[in-house]
Amino acid sequence: MNSELVSIILPVFNGEKYLAQSIESVLAQTYKNIELIVVNDNSSDNSLSIMEEFAKRDDRVKVVSNSVNLKLPKSLNAGFALANGKYLTWTSDDNFYSPEAIELMVEYLQKHPNDAMVCANFTKINETNSQSEKISLEVSPQNMMKGNCVGACFLYRKEIADKVGEYKAEKFLVEDYDFWLRVMLEGNIGHIERDLYTYRVHNSSLTGQRIQEIMEKTEEIIKEYLPLYKKRFKNLKFDCKEHKFMKKIFSKTKTPEKKVYTVLGIKITLKRKQRKNEVVKKNKIDYLKKYYLAKGWIEKYTVDSNGIAVESNQPKTIYPEVTGYYIPTLIKFGDKKRALDYGNYLLSIQNPDGSWNAPDSTTPYTFDTGMILKGLAALVENNLDENDKYKNALIKGADYILSMQRDDGSIATADYSQWGLPYGKQVPEANHIYCLEPIRKVAQLTGEQKYEKSIQRALDFYLAKPDLTDFTTLSHFNAYIIEGLIDIGEIERAQRAMD
């Protein structure tokens, strides 16, 4: 069986944390006739050194580096352009194979010569390996029209890849789903009912913004491929009761209480209750009701009058940085007592060096410190300070941020281990622009020039970066950069970012 070469592509962008485990799982395969092509997508961390060390130890490992960050689809294409195998697959730097994964998938394709591809079940784990979930796949044309049901462990034939073409750069975030849809139009996708892979889910990556973006792109792909799948698979049928995507895409017109109708030849069932004499007032929002709803949420999730908890699965975990961020809004809307309660709590947990830690952590973060300083500055500006306690804490925190400034003007943080994001991204360090405005408040309070000089050095560094506002990561980080630019008076650059 080992006579046929298997090419495995591993695209990497700043993946040093788990990269070694991922590569080791490939090299430990019971199927030995493999080549591992690691594509360094212009990483700025220690990833390149790690992959080059493995290449020295094992001649099956090849390293290729992109001169600029190409993102996942183009990095995959760059790797597959160098592949020599009869069978192809790819993996990620934070996931890893079971030892027999490649052997069993090769064995399946050799026993099923008419199948284009095979996939296997896998396990999801969290960042600390403390939670796991077994994922069992059900691959069919109908399920492929509901979303990506192939999963993370797969192997396909090179001749199929030659037929369907490359991964599409314009399908970024759903490039794999788009590729599998094209593969299934060419041939069957088989399934191995065994767990052969471990997929690591980063807690910091599960945001509504990214999930929403993937869902929207998935819907676009369903619309694109639905006619092709109806033509290819004659008996394709859906019931919208179990298919939210289809209902959202096609149920745009009013229907009777129950009606079965056809869209592009696919039968869809819709149910709708008729409410007599009901008038739906569209586009009218009760803003006062929304205000009290938001106010009630804050009251509900304020922990012991100290600060705000923002995760429903951790209702007692106070987020110091969000607590500081809320203070100006609480003052603006008249809840000065809660603002003072938040401020007093934040003073009680400030580190001796002036910094604040991440939630439930002993690690100080520069960005979190900056968010908290904005809250303390609001308390000082609104004459809510008693014996200058907030002013003193504000100055101490600003001095900490200055201590984290590098010689080139950029601002660092003490620890980057939690900065990993989906698809090989990481939190942009330019987020620290957000910290500059409270430093300016300290400059105004103290009259000391060191703070303004620090701000100017930081601006000189960040504004010189041509890609400062070429956002490619989670949108709320982009918003912090834009807000920071506005607060510090860089309106024109903020406008360019919004454009």
Side-chain angles (χ1 to χ4, degrees), residues 116-144:
M117 176 176 169
V118 63
C119 59
N121 296 345
F122 61 98
T123 295
K124 280 185 179 181
I125 61 172
N126 66 0
E127 196 165 9
T128 60
N129 299 343
S130 60
Q131 294 178 351
S132 64
E133 178 187 1
K134 300 291 185 181
I135 305 297
S136 184
L137 306 175
E138 294 182 19
V139 184
S140 68
Q142 182 163 314
N143 284 341
M144 285 290 281

Side-chain angles (χ1 to χ4, degrees), residues 11-22:
V12 181
F13 176 70
N14 291 346
E16 64 179 0
K17 187 171 183 180
Y18 303 108
L19 179 57
Q21 183 184 27
S22 179

Side-chain angles (χ1 to χ4, degrees), residues 5-48:
L5 180 65
V6 174
S7 296
I8 303 169
I9 311 303
L10 173 54
V12 181
F13 176 70
N14 291 346
E16 64 179 0
K17 187 171 183 180
Y18 303 108
L19 179 57
Q21 183 184 27
S22 179
I23 295 176
E24 286 166 355
S25 78
V26 174
L27 301 181
Q29 289 297 299
T30 56
Y31 190 94
K32 300 301 181 184
N33 192 17
I34 61 172
E35 62 174 1
L36 174 62
I37 301 173
V38 190
V39 182
N40 171 36
D41 195 17
N42 201 32
S43 297
S44 58
D45 64 358
N46 199 39
S47 295
L48 181 59

Side-chain angles (χ1 to χ4, degrees), residues 54-68:
F54 276 100
K56 290 177 185 177
R57 285 190 251 156
D58 195 316
D59 59 10
R60 295 177 297 172
V61 180
K62 303 172 184 176
V63 176
V64 58
S65 289
N66 300 332
S67 58
V68 295

Side-chain angles (χ1 to χ4, degrees), residues 344-385:
N344 291 334
Y345 169 74
L346 292 171
L347 260 59
S348 74
I349 62 169
Q350 187 175 24
N351 293 322
D353 62 2
S355 66
W356 277 269
N357 297 335
D360 276 357
S361 170
T362 58
T363 302
Y365 277 96
T366 306
F367 178 75
D368 294 18
T369 299
M371 289 186 79
I372 292 166
L373 293 185
K374 287 210 172 193
L376 299 186
L379 290 167
V380 173
E381 287 178 324
N382 285 276
N383 300 314
L384 297 175
D385 204 1

Side-chain angles (χ1 to χ4, degrees), residues 97-374:
Y97 286 105
S98 299
E100 70 279 14
I102 299 298
E103 180 177 356
L104 292 178
M105 289 191 290
V106 169
E107 182 180 306
Y108 178 95
L109 289 179
Q110 291 184 345
K111 289 181 178 179
H112 300 83
N114 294 324
D115 281 7
M117 176 176 169
V118 63
C119 59
N121 296 345
F122 61 98
T123 295
K124 280 185 179 181
I125 61 172
N126 66 0
E127 196 165 9
T128 60
N129 299 343
S130 60
Q131 294 178 351
S132 64
E133 178 187 1
K134 300 291 185 181
I135 305 297
S136 184
L137 306 175
E138 294 182 19
V139 184
S140 68
Q142 182 163 314
N143 284 341
M144 285 290 281
M145 281 286 93
K146 297 178 183 180
N148 190 347
C149 61
V150 168
C153 184
F154 48 83
L155 188 71
Y156 51 90
R157 303 178 193 277
K158 185 179 186 304
E159 61 262 32
I160 289 296
D162 292 339
K163 277 187 178 182
V164 303
E166 295 183 325
Y167 291 86
K168 296 181 179 179
E170 67 272 19
K171 304 293 186 182
F172 178 57
L173 298 182
V174 290
E175 60 282 309
D176 52 350
Y177 181 35
D178 173 79
F179 192 85
W180 313 149
L181 286 166
R182 285 183 276 146
V183 169
M184 183 165 270
L185 288 171
E186 297 293 335
N188 183 58
I189 297 179
H191 174 230
I192 298 174
E193 191 62 53
R194 282 188 61 176
D195 188 334
L196 299 179
Y197 194 81
T198 300
Y199 180 92
R200 183 179 279 106
V201 179
H202 294 273
N203 291 335
S204 60
S205 76
L206 297 179
T207 65
Q209 293 293 329
R210 178 59 56 140
I211 292 172
Q212 182 64 27
E213 190 176 353
I214 293 172
M215 288 176 64
E216 288 172 358
K217 290 198 171 189
T218 298
E219 290 179 19
E220 291 172 5
I221 286 182
I222 289 173
K223 290 180 183 179
E224 178 183 347
Y225 281 91
L226 184 57
L228 299 174
Y229 267 61
K230 176 55 188 172
K231 185 177 179 180
R232 171 71 173 78
F233 305 103
K234 302 299 182 184
N235 296 319
L236 202 62
K237 295 180 181 179
F238 294 106
D239 185 334
C240 272
K241 291 182 296 183
E242 62 180 22
H243 195 331
K244 294 180 181 179
F245 280 140
M246 284 293 174
K247 187 171 183 178
K248 184 174 180 180
I249 293 170
F250 296 114
S251 61
K252 301 298 185 185
T253 59
K254 294 180 180 179
T255 64
E257 177 112 1
K258 183 177 180 181
K259 183 177 180 180
V260 178
Y261 69 108
T262 301
V263 176
L264 295 173
I266 296 176
K267 290 183 178 180
I268 297 178
T269 302
L270 288 175
K271 292 182 178 180
R272 183 176 185 273
K273 285 186 177 180
Q274 296 283 3
R275 296 178 182 176
K276 293 183 179 180
N277 302 320
E278 180 184 40
V279 178
V280 179
K281 296 180 180 179
K282 295 183 178 179
N283 302 322
K284 186 173 182 180
I285 300 174
D286 187 339
Y287 289 102
L288 189 60
K289 182 179 179 181
K290 297 290 186 184
Y291 163 74
Y292 283 112
L293 193 65
K295 191 169 182 286
W297 187 92
I298 292 173
E299 291 171 357
K300 180 179 178 180
Y301 287 98
T302 293
V303 182
D304 300 329
S305 299
N306 290 327
I308 196 78
V310 298
E311 289 192 43
S312 57
N313 62 342
Q314 297 185 63
K316 295 298 182 183
T317 300
I318 294 174
Y319 275 61
E321 81 279 20
V322 181
T323 297
Y325 185 79
Y326 273 27
I327 289 175
T329 301
L330 291 171
I331 295 172
K332 183 177 180 180
F333 284 91
D335 198 349
K336 293 182 180 180
K337 182 183 182 304
R338 196 182 306 277
L340 288 165
D341 287 342
Y342 281 13
N344 291 334
Y345 169 74
L346 292 171
L347 260 59
S348 74
I349 62 169
Q350 187 175 24
N351 293 322
D353 62 2
S355 66
W356 277 269
N357 297 335
D360 276 357
S361 170
T362 58
T363 302
Y365 277 96
T366 306
F367 178 75
D368 294 18
T369 299
M371 289 186 79
I372 292 166
L373 293 185
K374 287 210 172 193

